[in-house]
Structure formats: structure tokens, C-alpha cells
């Protein structure tokens, strides 16, 4: 589904991502772990066209999309759900979802997709006329993911979906991601909560200073002493 090879990203003199290579297979959840400043968000932004790489290649289903504009990449089925939710706080839940389908010209298909989101997330259906900014943090995160689903992703990039959420809500969000994946959408998940991410991921990569320092199956990473010490609280 996705193959990145020797990816480099610079911000002026800062080398934020260094010769990074990773892949996401069809039907996989792949976790991208690392501390703040490790290059995780920059990696997603380079994949989705928000940041232009300074080197390397990004292939989506074998097609070179390196450096293409974000809206062109989105139309190919790669959808980025950014850190911080970025919902439209003064618009209703329903209007936020409709904006996820801005590329769709078929209004019947757009309403089918929003109905599917409401079926998946009945809490959003209950609040469809409510302004997005009045939702709880967990509800806003679900709205952000729901809006991404309306776009129709075959590959979904999720950046820190558990940030700022209570543990019970984190579990609900992770269950939602697992359900989305089970329905056929591949996921590249950036997440500081390594424990939660590795419970649902198939594989993972650990980034440090923009470089991949460790990779493997979720089970192997969960049992690796380096991951336990750095990301799993020594548990």
C-alpha cells in the first residue's frame, strides 16, 4: 500500500527526517513510535504532501507521489488526520463531516458515507446539529476521524489520536481504529502512547532524531527491553 525509501526532510538547516524507509501493507496497522521531536509528524506530513521532501521517494500502491500537492494525494485514497483534531469548531458535527467529502461530486454517495460514520459512531449522530467546538475531547477526536472516513481512505494516516484523552476514551479511540482497519482500511498510526498503539498494530517502527532505530512486529517490540524502558514505562 505504502512504501517510503530513503526519505529526507529539511526545515531550513534542521534535518528533521533522515534516510527513512518504511512500508505499510494492505490491511495493516503500522505504528510509528518515538519521543517528541523524533520526526513522526514530519514523516506523515511528507507522505501526505503537506511538507515537500528534500530526498527519497514515497510510493502509494506503486505510484510515485513524492512531493505532489496534498489535494492530489488525498484524491488517490491517502487521507491524513492531523494532530490536534483540527475540526471546524463553529460548524455543526454534520457540516464537519460533509467537508470531509469535498472531493465528491456525487451527493448521494456523500450522504451514504456520512450515514456510515453515524452508524459507526452513534454518539456523533446524537450530536449532529451541535457545534464541533462544544464536544468533549474524545468526541472531537472521533469527529476528526469520522471526517477523514467520509473522504474515503484506503490508507489512513493518524497523528496522535489519543493526545489529551482520558484512559477510557483512549481505549474507545483505539477500538475505533481497529474497527476501521478490520473493515479494510490500512493505517499508519503515530502515537506516543506506545502501549495502546502496540495493542492494535501489526508492526511498528521506532524513530529517534528522524531515523528509524528499531522495527518489527508489535509483539517483538512489546517484548524488546529498549522499547519497554523508553516507551512502556518499564512495565
Amino acid at each position: 500500500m505504502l512504501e517510503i525509501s530513503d526519505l529526507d526532510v529539511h526545515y531550513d538547516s534542521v534535518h528533521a527526517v533522515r534516510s527513512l524507509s518504511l512500508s505499510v501493507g494492505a490491511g495493516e496497522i503500522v505504528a510509528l513510535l518515538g519521543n517528541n521531536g523524533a520526526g513522526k509528524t514530519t514523516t506523515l506530513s511528507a507522505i501526505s504532501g503537506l511538507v515537500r521532501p528534500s530526498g527519497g521517494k514515497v510510493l502509494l500502491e506503486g505510484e510515485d507521489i513524492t512531493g505532489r500537492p496534498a489535494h492530489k494525494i488525498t484524491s488517490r485514497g491517502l487521507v491524513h488526520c492531523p494532530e490536534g483534531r483540527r475540526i471546524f469548531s463553529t460548524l455543526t458535527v454534520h457540516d464537519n463531516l460533509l467537508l470531509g467529502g469535498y472531493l465528491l461530486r456525487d451527493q448521494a454517495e456523500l450522504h451514504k458515507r456520512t450515514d456510515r460514520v453515524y452508524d459507526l459512531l452513534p454518539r456523533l449522530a446524537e450530536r449532529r446539529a451541535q457545534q464541533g467546538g462544544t464536544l468533549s475531547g474524545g468526541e472531537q477526536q472521533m469527529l476528526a476521524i469520522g471526517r477523514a472516513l467520509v473522504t474515503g481512505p484506503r490508507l489512513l494516516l493518524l497523528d496522535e489520536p489519543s493526545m489529551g484523552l482520558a484512559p477510557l476514551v483512549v481505549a474507545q479511540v483505539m477500538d475505533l481504529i481497529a474497527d476501521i482497519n478490520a473493515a479494510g482500511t490500512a493505517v499508519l498510526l503515530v502515537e506516543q502512547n506506545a502501549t495502546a498503539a502496540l495493542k492494535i498494530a501489526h508492526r511498528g517502527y521506532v524513530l529517534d532524531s528522524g531515523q528509524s532505530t528499531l522495527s518489527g512486529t508489535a509483539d517483538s517490540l512489546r517484548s524488546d527491553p529498549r522499547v519497554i524502558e523508553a516507551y512502556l514505562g518499564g512495565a
Side-chain angles (χ1 to χ4, degrees):
M1 179 64 71
L2 178 72
E3 186 175 357
I4 300 168
S5 56
D6 297 322
L7 186 72
D8 283 286
V9 182
H10 287 80
Y11 294 116
D12 297 323
S13 61
V14 177
H15 200 169
V17 175
R18 300 167 179 265
S19 300
L20 178 63
S21 296
L22 62 83
S23 65
V24 180
E28 277 194 312
I29 298 176
V30 175
L32 197 55
L33 309 175
N35 292 320
N36 281 333
K40 307 183 303 295
T41 292
T42 297
T43 298
L44 294 195
S45 296
I47 294 168
S48 66
L50 296 176
V51 171
R52 190 173 183 87
S54 50
K57 282 191 175 181
V58 179
L59 302 180
L60 179 64
E61 297 180 307
E63 180 182 353
D64 190 348
I65 61 168
T66 314
R68 285 193 189 177
H71 67 284
K72 296 286 187 184
I73 293 173
T74 298
S75 69
R76 298 284 297 125
L78 188 157
V79 179
H80 185 171
C81 189
E83 181 182 358
R85 297 151 200 162
R86 310 268 185 103
I87 63 164
F88 297 94
S89 61
T90 60
L91 298 183
T92 65
V93 165
H94 190 66
D95 285 342
N96 267 276
L97 293 181
L98 292 178
L99 283 169
Y102 76 97
L103 291 173
L104 280 174
R105 297 184 180 181
D106 184 341
Q107 292 300 300
E109 177 62 23
L110 174 57
H111 289 293
K112 277 184 190 175
R113 292 186 187 184
T114 56
D115 285 345
R116 284 191 211 112
V117 170
Y118 287 138
D119 287 342
L120 185 64
L121 295 165
R123 192 174 299 176
L124 293 185
E126 295 168 6
R127 290 158 172 71
R128 61 186 295 156
Q130 193 170 322
Q131 284 189 333
T134 66
L135 301 178
S136 70
E139 289 165 348
Q140 288 187 19
Q141 184 61 66
M142 290 177 183
L143 177 56
I145 294 173
R147 182 180 59 190
L149 293 179
V150 173
T151 307
R154 295 194 305 284
L155 173 62
L156 181 59
L157 310 185
L158 289 170
D159 195 354
E160 301 287 6
S162 80
M163 181 180 287
L165 302 182
L168 180 62
V169 182
V170 171
Q172 292 170 349
V173 169
M174 293 298 159
D175 286 345
L176 171 61
I177 296 167
D179 289 344
I180 291 166
N181 175 250
T185 301
V187 177
L188 180 57
L189 172 63
V190 161
E191 183 55 69
Q192 282 209 53
N193 187 333
T195 301
L198 291 175
K199 281 182 180 176
I200 63 169
H202 300 95
R203 294 187 298 111
Y205 297 84
V206 177
L207 261 61
D208 185 22
S209 301
Q211 296 177 299
S212 175
T213 57
L214 197 60
S215 65
T217 66
D219 285 343
S220 70
L221 291 176
R222 269 198 303 266
S223 60
D224 189 299
R226 293 166 291 181
V227 175
I228 292 171
E229 177 68 24
Y231 305 108
L232 303 181

Short mmCIF file of all heavy atoms in Angstrom, two decimals, residues 28-92:
data_model
loop_
_atom_site.label_atom_id
_atom_site.label_comp_id
_atom_site.label_asym_id
_atom_site.label_seq_id
_atom_site.Cartn_x
_atom_site.Cartn_y
_atom_site.Cartn_z
N GLU A 28 -2.95 -3.55 6.96
CA GLU A 28 -2.11 -3.46 8.16
C GLU A 28 -2.41 -2.21 8.97
O GLU A 28 -2.82 -1.18 8.43
CB GLU A 28 -0.63 -3.41 7.78
CG GLU A 28 0.03 -4.73 7.51
CD GLU A 28 1.54 -4.60 7.50
OE1 GLU A 28 2.08 -3.70 6.84
OE2 GLU A 28 2.19 -5.43 8.16
N ILE A 29 -2.16 -2.31 10.28
CA ILE A 29 -1.94 -1.14 11.12
C ILE A 29 -0.46 -1.13 11.47
O ILE A 29 0.06 -2.10 12.04
CB ILE A 29 -2.76 -1.19 12.42
CG1 ILE A 29 -4.26 -1.21 12.14
CG2 ILE A 29 -2.42 0.03 13.30
CD1 ILE A 29 -5.12 -1.35 13.39
N VAL A 30 0.22 -0.06 11.10
CA VAL A 30 1.64 0.09 11.40
C VAL A 30 1.81 1.29 12.33
O VAL A 30 1.34 2.39 12.02
CB VAL A 30 2.48 0.27 10.12
CG1 VAL A 30 3.94 0.54 10.47
CG2 VAL A 30 2.37 -0.97 9.24
N ALA A 31 2.44 1.07 13.48
CA ALA A 31 2.65 2.12 14.46
C ALA A 31 4.00 2.79 14.23
O ALA A 31 4.99 2.12 13.93
CB ALA A 31 2.59 1.56 15.87
N LEU A 32 4.02 4.10 14.38
CA LEU A 32 5.25 4.89 14.29
C LEU A 32 5.46 5.53 15.65
O LEU A 32 4.69 6.42 16.05
CB LEU A 32 5.11 5.94 13.19
CG LEU A 32 6.36 6.61 12.64
CD1 LEU A 32 7.36 5.58 12.13
CD2 LEU A 32 5.98 7.57 11.51
N LEU A 33 6.46 5.05 16.39
CA LEU A 33 6.66 5.45 17.77
C LEU A 33 7.90 6.32 17.89
O LEU A 33 8.80 6.29 17.05
CB LEU A 33 6.83 4.21 18.65
CG LEU A 33 5.77 3.11 18.52
CD1 LEU A 33 6.15 1.91 19.39
CD2 LEU A 33 4.39 3.64 18.90
N GLY A 34 7.95 7.09 18.98
CA GLY A 34 9.12 7.92 19.23
C GLY A 34 8.75 9.08 20.13
O GLY A 34 7.58 9.42 20.29
N ASN A 35 9.77 9.70 20.72
CA ASN A 35 9.54 10.82 21.61
C ASN A 35 9.21 12.09 20.82
O ASN A 35 9.31 12.12 19.59
CB ASN A 35 10.79 11.06 22.47
CG ASN A 35 11.01 9.92 23.46
OD1 ASN A 35 10.07 9.39 24.04
ND2 ASN A 35 12.27 9.55 23.66
N ASN A 36 8.83 13.15 21.53
CA ASN A 36 8.61 14.44 20.88
C ASN A 36 9.86 14.86 20.12
O ASN A 36 10.98 14.72 20.63
CB ASN A 36 8.28 15.51 21.93
CG ASN A 36 6.84 15.45 22.38
OD1 ASN A 36 5.96 14.99 21.65
ND2 ASN A 36 6.59 15.90 23.59
N GLY A 37 9.68 15.36 18.90
CA GLY A 37 10.81 15.82 18.10
C GLY A 37 11.52 14.72 17.34
O GLY A 37 12.55 14.98 16.70
N ALA A 38 10.96 13.50 17.37
CA ALA A 38 11.62 12.38 16.69
C ALA A 38 11.43 12.41 15.18
O ALA A 38 12.12 11.68 14.46
CB ALA A 38 11.12 11.06 17.25
N GLY A 39 10.47 13.21 14.70
CA GLY A 39 10.22 13.29 13.25
C GLY A 39 8.96 12.58 12.80
O GLY A 39 8.72 12.44 11.59
N LYS A 40 8.12 12.16 13.73
CA LYS A 40 6.94 11.38 13.38
C LYS A 40 5.92 12.21 12.59
O LYS A 40 5.44 11.80 11.52
CB LYS A 40 6.27 10.81 14.64
CG LYS A 40 7.20 10.02 15.54
CD LYS A 40 6.49 9.42 16.74
CE LYS A 40 5.76 10.41 17.62
NZ LYS A 40 6.66 11.38 18.30
N THR A 41 5.57 13.39 13.11
CA THR A 41 4.59 14.25 12.43
C THR A 41 5.13 14.72 11.10
O THR A 41 4.40 14.78 10.10
CB THR A 41 4.23 15.45 13.34
OG1 THR A 41 3.50 14.97 14.48
CG2 THR A 41 3.38 16.46 12.59
N THR A 42 6.42 15.05 11.04
CA THR A 42 7.03 15.47 9.77
C THR A 42 6.94 14.35 8.74
O THR A 42 6.69 14.60 7.55
CB THR A 42 8.49 15.88 10.00
OG1 THR A 42 8.53 17.00 10.88
CG2 THR A 42 9.16 16.24 8.69
N THR A 43 7.15 13.12 9.17
CA THR A 43 7.05 11.98 8.25
C THR A 43 5.65 11.90 7.64
O THR A 43 5.50 11.77 6.41
CB THR A 43 7.38 10.67 8.99
OG1 THR A 43 8.73 10.73 9.45
CG2 THR A 43 7.21 9.47 8.07
N LEU A 44 4.61 12.00 8.48
CA LEU A 44 3.25 11.96 7.95
C LEU A 44 3.00 13.14 7.00
O LEU A 44 2.36 12.97 5.96
CB LEU A 44 2.22 12.00 9.09
CG LEU A 44 2.15 10.81 10.04
CD1 LEU A 44 0.86 10.86 10.85
CD2 LEU A 44 2.26 9.49 9.32
N SER A 45 3.49 14.30 7.36
CA SER A 45 3.28 15.49 6.52
C SER A 45 3.97 15.35 5.17
O SER A 45 3.45 15.81 4.15
CB SER A 45 3.78 16.74 7.24
OG SER A 45 3.03 16.98 8.41
N ALA A 46 5.13 14.71 5.16
CA ALA A 46 5.83 14.48 3.88
C ALA A 46 5.10 13.46 3.03
O ALA A 46 5.04 13.58 1.80
CB ALA A 46 7.26 14.02 4.16
N ILE A 47 4.52 12.45 3.65
CA ILE A 47 3.76 11.45 2.91
C ILE A 47 2.52 12.08 2.28
O ILE A 47 2.20 11.82 1.11
CB ILE A 47 3.35 10.29 3.84
CG1 ILE A 47 4.58 9.52 4.34
CG2 ILE A 47 2.39 9.33 3.13
CD1 ILE A 47 4.27 8.56 5.48
N SER A 48 1.82 12.91 3.05
CA SER A 48 0.53 13.43 2.60
C SER A 48 0.63 14.71 1.77
O SER A 48 -0.39 15.26 1.35
CB SER A 48 -0.39 13.67 3.79
OG SER A 48 0.11 14.70 4.63
N GLY A 49 1.84 15.21 1.57
CA GLY A 49 2.01 16.38 0.70
C GLY A 49 1.97 17.71 1.39
O GLY A 49 2.03 18.76 0.73
N LEU A 50 1.90 17.73 2.72
CA LEU A 50 1.90 18.99 3.45
C LEU A 50 3.31 19.58 3.57
O LEU A 50 3.46 20.78 3.75
CB LEU A 50 1.31 18.80 4.85
CG LEU A 50 -0.16 18.38 4.88
CD1 LEU A 50 -0.60 18.11 6.32
CD2 LEU A 50 -1.05 19.45 4.25
N VAL A 51 4.31 18.72 3.48
CA VAL A 51 5.71 19.13 3.51
C VAL A 51 6.41 18.46 2.33
O VAL A 51 6.16 17.29 2.04
CB VAL A 51 6.40 18.70 4.83
CG1 VAL A 51 7.89 18.93 4.78
CG2 VAL A 51 5.79 19.42 6.02
N ARG A 52 7.26 19.21 1.65
CA ARG A 52 7.95 18.65 0.49
C ARG A 52 9.26 17.98 0.93
O ARG A 52 10.11 18.64 1.55
CB ARG A 52 8.25 19.73 -0.55
CG ARG A 52 8.75 19.17 -1.87
CD ARG A 52 8.86 20.26 -2.93
NE ARG A 52 9.26 19.68 -4.21
CZ ARG A 52 8.43 19.18 -5.10
NH1 ARG A 52 7.13 19.17 -4.84
NH2 ARG A 52 8.86 18.67 -6.23
N PRO A 53 9.43 16.69 0.63
CA PRO A 53 10.70 16.03 1.00
C PRO A 53 11.87 16.64 0.25
O PRO A 53 11.73 17.14 -0.87
CB PRO A 53 10.47 14.57 0.56
CG PRO A 53 9.00 14.41 0.38
CD PRO A 53 8.50 15.77 -0.02
N SER A 54 13.05 16.57 0.87
CA SER A 54 14.27 17.02 0.21
C SER A 54 15.00 15.86 -0.45
O SER A 54 15.98 16.06 -1.17
CB SER A 54 15.18 17.73 1.20
OG SER A 54 15.36 16.96 2.38
N GLY A 55 14.52 14.64 -0.22
CA GLY A 55 15.13 13.47 -0.86
C GLY A 55 14.29 12.24 -0.59
O GLY A 55 13.43 12.22 0.29
N GLY A 56 14.52 11.20 -1.38
CA GLY A 56 13.82 9.94 -1.20
C GLY A 56 12.53 9.87 -2.00
O GLY A 56 12.18 10.79 -2.75
N LYS A 57 11.81 8.76 -1.82
CA LYS A 57 10.59 8.52 -2.58
C LYS A 57 9.46 8.05 -1.68
O LYS A 57 9.68 7.34 -0.69
CB LYS A 57 10.83 7.46 -3.66
CG LYS A 57 11.56 7.98 -4.88
CD LYS A 57 11.52 6.97 -6.01
CE LYS A 57 12.16 7.56 -7.27
NZ LYS A 57 12.10 6.59 -8.40
N VAL A 58 8.24 8.44 -2.07
CA VAL A 58 7.02 7.95 -1.43
C VAL A 58 6.18 7.30 -2.52
O VAL A 58 5.78 7.96 -3.49
CB VAL A 58 6.22 9.09 -0.76
CG1 VAL A 58 4.95 8.55 -0.12
CG2 VAL A 58 7.07 9.82 0.27
N LEU A 59 5.91 6.00 -2.38
CA LEU A 59 5.12 5.27 -3.36
C LEU A 59 3.81 4.83 -2.72
O LEU A 59 3.80 4.23 -1.64
CB LEU A 59 5.86 4.02 -3.86
CG LEU A 59 7.24 4.23 -4.50
CD1 LEU A 59 7.81 2.88 -4.94
CD2 LEU A 59 7.15 5.18 -5.69
N LEU A 60 2.70 5.14 -3.38
CA LEU A 60 1.37 4.71 -2.95
C LEU A 60 0.86 3.70 -3.96
O LEU A 60 0.63 4.04 -5.12
CB LEU A 60 0.42 5.90 -2.85
CG LEU A 60 -1.02 5.59 -2.44
CD1 LEU A 60 -1.07 5.03 -1.02
CD2 LEU A 60 -1.90 6.83 -2.55
N GLU A 61 0.72 2.46 -3.53
CA GLU A 61 0.32 1.37 -4.42
C GLU A 61 1.18 1.35 -5.68
O GLU A 61 0.70 1.17 -6.80
CB GLU A 61 -1.16 1.47 -4.77
CG GLU A 61 -2.06 1.31 -3.55
CD GLU A 61 -3.53 1.41 -3.86
OE1 GLU A 61 -3.93 2.40 -4.50
OE2 GLU A 61 -4.29 0.51 -3.46
N GLY A 62 2.48 1.57 -5.48
CA GLY A 62 3.44 1.53 -6.58
C GLY A 62 3.59 2.81 -7.37
O GLY A 62 4.49 2.92 -8.22
N GLU A 63 2.74 3.80 -7.11
CA GLU A 63 2.79 5.07 -7.85
C GLU A 63 3.59 6.10 -7.06
O GLU A 63 3.36 6.29 -5.86
CB GLU A 63 1.37 5.59 -8.09
CG GLU A 63 1.31 6.91 -8.84
CD GLU A 63 -0.10 7.43 -9.02
OE1 GLU A 63 -1.05 6.70 -8.69
OE2 GLU A 63 -0.25 8.57 -9.48
N ASP A 64 4.51 6.77 -7.72
CA ASP A 64 5.35 7.77 -7.08
C ASP A 64 4.52 9.04 -6.81
O ASP A 64 4.09 9.71 -7.75
CB ASP A 64 6.55 8.09 -7.98
CG ASP A 64 7.60 8.95 -7.27
OD1 ASP A 64 7.31 9.48 -6.18
OD2 ASP A 64 8.71 9.08 -7.81
N ILE A 65 4.30 9.34 -5.53
CA ILE A 65 3.54 10.54 -5.18
C ILE A 65 4.43 11.56 -4.47
O ILE A 65 3.93 12.53 -3.89
CB ILE A 65 2.33 10.20 -4.29
CG1 ILE A 65 2.77 9.54 -2.98
CG2 ILE A 65 1.33 9.31 -5.04
CD1 ILE A 65 1.66 9.43 -1.93
N THR A 66 5.73 11.37 -4.53
CA THR A 66 6.67 12.24 -3.81
C THR A 66 6.48 13.70 -4.21
O THR A 66 6.56 14.05 -5.39
CB THR A 66 8.12 11.83 -4.11
OG1 THR A 66 8.25 10.43 -4.00
CG2 THR A 66 9.08 12.51 -3.15
N GLY A 67 6.21 14.55 -3.22
CA GLY A 67 6.13 15.98 -3.47
C GLY A 67 4.88 16.45 -4.18
O GLY A 67 4.76 17.64 -4.50
N ARG A 68 3.94 15.57 -4.41
CA ARG A 68 2.68 16.02 -5.04
C ARG A 68 1.88 16.88 -4.07
O ARG A 68 2.00 16.74 -2.86
CB ARG A 68 1.83 14.82 -5.45
CG ARG A 68 2.33 14.10 -6.69
CD ARG A 68 1.27 13.16 -7.20
NE ARG A 68 1.79 12.29 -8.25
CZ ARG A 68 1.08 11.34 -8.83
NH1 ARG A 68 -0.17 11.11 -8.46
NH2 ARG A 68 1.62 10.60 -9.78
N PRO A 69 1.01 17.76 -4.59
CA PRO A 69 0.18 18.57 -3.69
C PRO A 69 -0.74 17.69 -2.86
O PRO A 69 -1.18 16.62 -3.30
CB PRO A 69 -0.64 19.44 -4.66
CG PRO A 69 0.09 19.40 -5.96
CD PRO A 69 0.79 18.08 -6.01
N ALA A 70 -1.07 18.17 -1.67
CA ALA A 70 -1.86 17.37 -0.73
C ALA A 70 -3.21 16.96 -1.31
O ALA A 70 -3.66 15.83 -1.12
CB ALA A 70 -2.05 18.14 0.57
N HIS A 71 -3.89 17.87 -2.01
CA HIS A 71 -5.23 17.54 -2.51
C HIS A 71 -5.17 16.46 -3.59
O HIS A 71 -6.10 15.65 -3.73
CB HIS A 71 -5.96 18.78 -3.02
CG HIS A 71 -5.36 19.40 -4.24
ND1 HIS A 71 -4.21 20.16 -4.20
CD2 HIS A 71 -5.75 19.36 -5.54
CE1 HIS A 71 -3.92 20.58 -5.42
NE2 HIS A 71 -4.84 20.11 -6.25
N LYS A 72 -4.07 16.40 -4.34
CA LYS A 72 -3.91 15.35 -5.34
C LYS A 72 -3.68 14.00 -4.67
O LYS A 72 -4.18 12.96 -5.12
CB LYS A 72 -2.73 15.67 -6.26
CG LYS A 72 -2.90 16.92 -7.10
CD LYS A 72 -3.89 16.69 -8.23
CE LYS A 72 -3.93 17.88 -9.17
NZ LYS A 72 -4.96 17.70 -10.23
N ILE A 73 -2.93 14.00 -3.57
CA ILE A 73 -2.67 12.77 -2.84
C ILE A 73 -3.95 12.26 -2.18
O ILE A 73 -4.25 11.06 -2.20
CB ILE A 73 -1.54 12.98 -1.82
CG1 ILE A 73 -0.21 13.24 -2.56
CG2 ILE A 73 -1.41 11.80 -0.87
CD1 ILE A 73 0.94 13.62 -1.67
N THR A 74 -4.71 13.18 -1.59
CA THR A 74 -5.97 12.79 -0.96
C THR A 74 -6.90 12.12 -1.96
O THR A 74 -7.57 11.13 -1.64
CB THR A 74 -6.66 14.02 -0.35
OG1 THR A 74 -5.81 14.58 0.65
CG2 THR A 74 -8.00 13.67 0.26
N SER A 75 -6.93 12.63 -3.19
CA SER A 75 -7.82 12.06 -4.20
C SER A 75 -7.41 10.64 -4.60
O SER A 75 -8.20 9.91 -5.21
CB SER A 75 -7.86 12.96 -5.44
OG SER A 75 -6.62 12.93 -6.13
N ARG A 76 -6.18 10.23 -4.24
CA ARG A 76 -5.71 8.87 -4.53
C ARG A 76 -6.04 7.90 -3.40
O ARG A 76 -5.67 6.74 -3.45
CB ARG A 76 -4.19 8.88 -4.76
CG ARG A 76 -3.73 9.72 -5.94
CD ARG A 76 -4.00 9.03 -7.27
NE ARG A 76 -3.26 7.80 -7.38
CZ ARG A 76 -3.79 6.62 -7.64
NH1 ARG A 76 -5.09 6.49 -7.79
NH2 ARG A 76 -3.03 5.55 -7.75
N GLY A 77 -6.71 8.38 -2.35
CA GLY A 77 -7.15 7.49 -1.28
C GLY A 77 -6.27 7.48 -0.05
O GLY A 77 -6.44 6.63 0.82
N LEU A 78 -5.32 8.42 0.04
CA LEU A 78 -4.48 8.55 1.22
C LEU A 78 -4.96 9.78 1.99
O LEU A 78 -4.91 10.90 1.47
CB LEU A 78 -3.01 8.69 0.82
CG LEU A 78 -1.96 8.65 1.93
CD1 LEU A 78 -0.61 8.24 1.37
CD2 LEU A 78 -1.81 10.00 2.63
N VAL A 79 -5.45 9.57 3.21
CA VAL A 79 -6.08 10.65 3.97
C VAL A 79 -5.34 10.82 5.30
O VAL A 79 -5.08 9.85 6.01
CB VAL A 79 -7.57 10.35 4.21
CG1 VAL A 79 -8.21 11.46 5.03
CG2 VAL A 79 -8.30 10.19 2.88
N HIS A 80 -5.04 12.07 5.62
CA HIS A 80 -4.25 12.42 6.80
C HIS A 80 -5.17 13.05 7.84
O HIS A 80 -5.79 14.09 7.58
CB HIS A 80 -3.17 13.42 6.36
CG HIS A 80 -2.19 13.80 7.41
ND1 HIS A 80 -1.05 14.54 7.13
CD2 HIS A 80 -2.14 13.57 8.75
CE1 HIS A 80 -0.37 14.74 8.23
NE2 HIS A 80 -1.01 14.17 9.23
N CYS A 81 -5.25 12.44 9.02
CA CYS A 81 -6.00 13.00 10.15
C CYS A 81 -4.97 13.60 11.10
O CYS A 81 -4.27 12.87 11.80
CB CYS A 81 -6.82 11.90 10.82
SG CYS A 81 -7.98 12.47 12.07
N PRO A 82 -4.86 14.93 11.15
CA PRO A 82 -3.69 15.55 11.79
C PRO A 82 -3.77 15.58 13.31
O PRO A 82 -4.83 15.41 13.92
CB PRO A 82 -3.70 16.97 11.22
CG PRO A 82 -5.15 17.24 10.97
CD PRO A 82 -5.74 15.93 10.53
N GLU A 83 -2.62 15.84 13.90
CA GLU A 83 -2.53 16.06 15.34
C GLU A 83 -3.37 17.27 15.73
O GLU A 83 -3.43 18.26 15.01
CB GLU A 83 -1.06 16.30 15.71
CG GLU A 83 -0.79 16.53 17.17
CD GLU A 83 0.67 16.81 17.45
OE1 GLU A 83 1.49 16.78 16.49
OE2 GLU A 83 1.00 17.05 18.62
N GLY A 84 -4.05 17.18 16.88
CA GLY A 84 -4.81 18.33 17.37
C GLY A 84 -6.20 18.42 16.82
O GLY A 84 -6.90 19.42 17.01
N ARG A 85 -6.64 17.39 16.10
CA ARG A 85 -8.03 17.23 15.61
C ARG A 85 -8.38 18.18 14.48
O ARG A 85 -8.96 17.77 13.50
CB ARG A 85 -9.03 17.35 16.77
CG ARG A 85 -8.82 16.24 17.79
CD ARG A 85 -9.22 16.65 19.19
NE ARG A 85 -8.59 15.78 20.18
CZ ARG A 85 -8.48 16.08 21.45
NH1 ARG A 85 -8.96 17.21 21.91
NH2 ARG A 85 -7.87 15.25 22.27
N ARG A 86 -8.15 19.48 14.64
CA ARG A 86 -8.37 20.46 13.57
C ARG A 86 -9.79 20.43 13.01
O ARG A 86 -10.00 20.57 11.81
CB ARG A 86 -7.37 20.24 12.43
CG ARG A 86 -5.92 20.13 12.86
CD ARG A 86 -5.18 21.44 12.85
NE ARG A 86 -3.78 21.21 13.17
CZ ARG A 86 -2.80 21.21 12.27
NH1 ARG A 86 -3.08 21.43 11.01
NH2 ARG A 86 -1.57 21.02 12.65
N ILE A 87 -10.76 20.21 13.88
CA ILE A 87 -12.14 20.30 13.42
C ILE A 87 -12.52 21.77 13.25
O ILE A 87 -11.82 22.67 13.72
CB ILE A 87 -13.10 19.61 14.39
CG1 ILE A 87 -13.08 20.32 15.75
CG2 ILE A 87 -12.79 18.13 14.53
CD1 ILE A 87 -14.25 19.96 16.63
N PHE A 88 -13.63 22.03 12.59
CA PHE A 88 -14.15 23.39 12.44
C PHE A 88 -15.11 23.63 13.61
O PHE A 88 -16.25 23.17 13.61
CB PHE A 88 -14.86 23.54 11.10
CG PHE A 88 -13.92 23.35 9.93
CD1 PHE A 88 -13.80 22.12 9.32
CD2 PHE A 88 -13.16 24.41 9.46
CE1 PHE A 88 -12.93 21.93 8.26
CE2 PHE A 88 -12.29 24.24 8.39
CZ PHE A 88 -12.18 23.00 7.79
N SER A 89 -14.63 24.36 14.61
CA SER A 89 -15.32 24.42 15.90
C SER A 89 -16.66 25.13 15.83
O SER A 89 -17.56 24.85 16.64
CB SER A 89 -14.43 25.08 16.95
OG SER A 89 -14.11 26.41 16.56
N THR A 90 -16.83 26.06 14.89
CA THR A 90 -18.10 26.80 14.82
C THR A 90 -19.11 26.15 13.89
O THR A 90 -20.25 26.60 13.81
CB THR A 90 -17.86 28.25 14.35
OG1 THR A 90 -17.27 28.22 13.04
CG2 THR A 90 -16.93 28.99 15.30
N LEU A 91 -18.72 25.07 13.21
CA LEU A 91 -19.64 24.34 12.35
C LEU A 91 -20.22 23.15 13.10
O LEU A 91 -19.62 22.65 14.04
CB LEU A 91 -18.93 23.85 11.09
CG LEU A 91 -18.35 24.92 10.17
CD1 LEU A 91 -17.74 24.26 8.93
CD2 LEU A 91 -19.39 25.95 9.77
N THR A 92 -21.38 22.70 12.66
CA THR A 92 -22.00 21.54 13.30
C THR A 92 -21.21 20.27 13.01
O THR A 92 -20.40 20.22 12.09
CB THR A 92 -23.44 21.35 12.80
OG1 THR A 92 -23.40 21.01 11.41
CG2 THR A 92 -24.28 22.59 13.03
#
